[in-house]
Amino acid sequence: MKATQRTVRLDLAEPLRISRSTMAARDAVWLTVEVDGLRGHGEAVTSVYYGLDAGTLERLLAAVATDLRRFRDPESALDALRAGELAGEDTPPAVTAAVESALLDLAGKRAGSPVHRLLGAATAPVAATARTIGITSPVRAAAEARCLTASGFAVIKVKAGAPDPEEDVERVRVIRDAAPRARLLLDPNGAWTTAQADALLPRFAELGVEAVEQPLAPGDPEALGALAARSPLPVIADEDAVSLEDARRLAGRVHGVNVKLAKCGGVHAALRIAEAIDGSGTALMLGCLTASSLGLAPAVHLADRARWADLDGHLLLAHDPWAGIGGTDGFVRASGLPGLGVRRSPGEEAA
């Protein structure tokens, strides 16, 4: 197989502020694999939190691209990837996920089948996705909430973790007033102490928040599990739920785990986590990093397996260079086209 890569800049429509940082743009590295004129694509994006800059992604994907030349087809390369024979144990999950995405896309195109069918689903998944409102002023938050619900969004995720917790409470209150029928999720990104969480969660429950992601700083899953046991609303682990081992440790102790393909290592790693928590009382949430439709597409092919879908990363961009998974009306959809079902956006060069 032939493999090439390209690095592009993804600018956000507006800076997104969360408890630990504010982001205005990130780089994406696209991996393309080709056999007999058919191409498969995958995307890895930079992340300060995970210690991945563009240079690191380019170097690691270039090494995998060189190794891919020894495979005649994507199917055998996928087998090797899952067996740990293509990307080593020290390969970051984001890189493994991008490689798997490109190989699945190409395998689907060779088979004339969409990726979800390769994964055993007969119908194309459709899911209501959350749309994120960052840490911002109450006036702006309320305006965003009204706009989102008017566009069809039924789930809104509110970022929390402002220096003054009362700001978070007020932001949620005005969003609830502006969007009284919306399902609300809350995400402090690990900003609260245990005492703060104990004091704040009942107040957010009264405001109708459906669930909270990672209220406590990661690194103490025991504390997170104990908080979940007494919390008046469901607690979802995110930064504390990275690997399959993490998910097994938390199964039955928290109400949900947020699985991001770039965090766990790709589609098949996500499926193993889903299997591990099945029947434990811990539900699956599918999340994402800010990325293009290409980066989001593999997760969309799993979206019907999750209780919560937070797959809006492409909707935060000023311009999405790929298209094919929808989302602007509040729903992401996998198509019936072969492979991932994504294509370059109108006006972009042919892929």
Side-chain angles (χ1 to χ4, degrees):
M1 279 189 299
K2 176 184 177 183
T4 57
Q5 65 187 65
R6 175 185 174 188
T7 303
V8 300
R9 188 75 164 172
L10 301 176
D11 292 309
L12 274 67
E14 59 183 49
L16 176 66
R17 180 187 168 197
I18 65 174
S19 62
R20 61 174 178 255
S21 64
T22 299
M23 181 178 61
R26 71 187 339 151
D27 293 320
V29 183
W30 296 339
L31 176 69
T32 299
V33 293
E34 181 176 354
V35 170
D36 298 330
L38 293 175
R39 296 176 179 176
H41 306 281
E43 177 180 270
V45 295
T46 55
S47 170
V48 173
Y49 184 80
Y50 291 112
L52 296 173
D53 57 25
T56 300
L57 291 175
E58 289 166 351
R59 175 177 54 80
L60 293 170
L61 285 168
V64 175
T66 298
D67 203 14
L68 282 170
R69 295 172 187 166
R70 63 188 173 95
F71 296 95
R72 299 181 58 183
D73 55 66
E75 295 81 10
S76 58
L78 278 169
D79 289 341
L81 184 69
R82 293 164 193 161
E85 299 168 358
L86 178 54
E89 291 184 0
D90 58 344
T91 301
V95 172
T96 304
V99 174
E100 184 194 46
S101 171
L103 294 172
L104 281 171
D105 191 26
L106 181 55
K109 289 172 180 175
R110 279 166 53 89
S113 174
V115 164
H116 60 267
R117 288 186 188 164
L118 297 182
L119 302 175
T123 58
V126 179
T129 181
R131 182 69 157 79
T132 299
I133 295 179
I135 297 176
T136 187
S137 70
V139 171
R140 188 172 183 85
E144 288 186 33
R146 283 190 291 268
C147 182
L148 290 174
T149 54
S151 298
F153 285 88
V155 188
I156 296 174
K157 183 162 94 167
V158 186
K159 289 293 185 177
D164 181 358
E166 293 302 323
E167 292 182 21
D168 296 333
V169 175
E170 178 64 10
R171 188 179 317 105
V172 171
R173 187 189 67 76
V174 299
I175 288 172
R176 169 53 72 211
D177 289 343
R181 290 182 293 276
R183 298 165 55 199
L184 299 185
L185 304 176
L186 191 68
D187 186 8
N189 288 106
W192 295 340
T193 64
T194 299
Q196 285 176 320
D198 283 330
L200 290 168
L201 289 179
R203 299 176 67 186
F204 287 117
E206 290 178 1
L207 289 169
V209 171
E210 180 175 319
V212 59
E213 285 184 62
Q214 196 68 43
L216 305 179
D220 191 350
E222 296 294 325
L224 190 68
L227 177 66
R230 62 180 183 270
S231 172
L233 53 81
V235 172
I236 302 169
D238 183 358
E239 286 87 346
D240 265 327
V242 176
S243 65
L244 175 62
E245 291 71 25
D246 293 336
R248 285 174 173 159
R249 186 180 305 116
L250 290 164
R253 306 192 62 195
V254 294
H255 303 90
V257 292
N258 186 343
V259 173
K260 300 172 183 173
L261 303 192
K263 181 175 68 171
C264 71
V267 166
H268 281 81
L271 289 173
R272 292 184 68 195
I273 291 174
E275 182 180 5
I277 65 175
D278 186 41
S280 69
T282 296
L284 178 69
M285 179 178 190
L286 278 174
C288 66
L289 302 181
T290 304
S292 76
S293 286
L294 172 60
L296 272 288
V300 174
H301 284 271
L302 301 176
D304 57 347
R305 305 170 192 245
R307 175 176 173 182
W308 299 282
D310 179 24
L311 301 175
D312 68 338
H314 61 307
L315 302 176
L316 304 180
L317 301 180
H319 172 68
D320 187 351
W322 296 82
I325 59 173
T328 56
D329 62 350
F331 292 85
V332 288
R333 302 169 176 84
S335 78
L337 296 174
L340 293 174
V342 295
R343 61 192 182 282
R344 293 301 295 274
S345 295
E348 295 283 338
E349 63 180 325

